């Protein structure tokens, strides 16, 4: 669900984790649940809650596809 405000980051393991490094990306747990349940009602069992998360996911998918496509093109043997 992306970066969600829960007690997960309030543990000793995350003592040096600074939420202020990404202040605009955090979603409340209620907002994540609300968007997820709404998507499920629309018949979408998988969703990316939050506009910013959807944008970041799209960028990541495009970049991953672009990199994979570039590698597959380079690996093809030259035609003789």
């Amino acid at each position: 669900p992306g970066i969600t405000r829960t007690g997960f980051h309030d543990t000793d393991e995350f003592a040096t984790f600074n939420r202020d490094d990404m202040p605009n990306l955090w979603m409340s747990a209620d907002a994540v649940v609300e968007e997820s349940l709404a998507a499920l009602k629309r018949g979408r069992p998988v969703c990316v809650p939050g506009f910013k998360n959807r944008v970041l996911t799209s960028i990541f998918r495009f970049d991953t596809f672009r990199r994979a496509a570039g590698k597959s093109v380079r690996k093809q043997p030259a035609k003789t």
Side-chain angles (χ1 to χ4, degrees):
I3 304 171
T4 306
R5 285 186 213 101
T6 65
F8 182 81
H9 296 98
D10 296 335
T11 62
D12 290 339
E13 290 86 2
F14 289 93
T16 61
F17 183 76
N18 186 359
R19 290 185 184 111
D20 296 333
D21 289 343
M22 303 170 279
N24 297 320
L25 295 179
W26 290 88
M27 290 183 68
S28 70
D30 289 340
V32 171
V33 170
E34 193 174 304
E35 287 197 37
S36 300
L37 291 176
L40 191 58
K41 284 181 183 178
R42 293 189 306 271
R44 297 178 57 217
V46 176
C47 79
V48 178
F51 177 75
K52 294 173 187 173
N53 289 330
R54 286 190 292 279
V55 169
L56 290 173
T57 300
S58 296
I59 290 169
F60 176 75
R61 285 182 182 160
F62 176 75
D63 186 55
T64 302
F65 173 77
R66 183 182 57 80
R67 289 175 189 233
K71 287 180 182 176
S72 66
V73 169
R74 285 191 296 268
K75 287 184 178 179
Q76 293 177 357
K79 292 183 180 180
T80 54

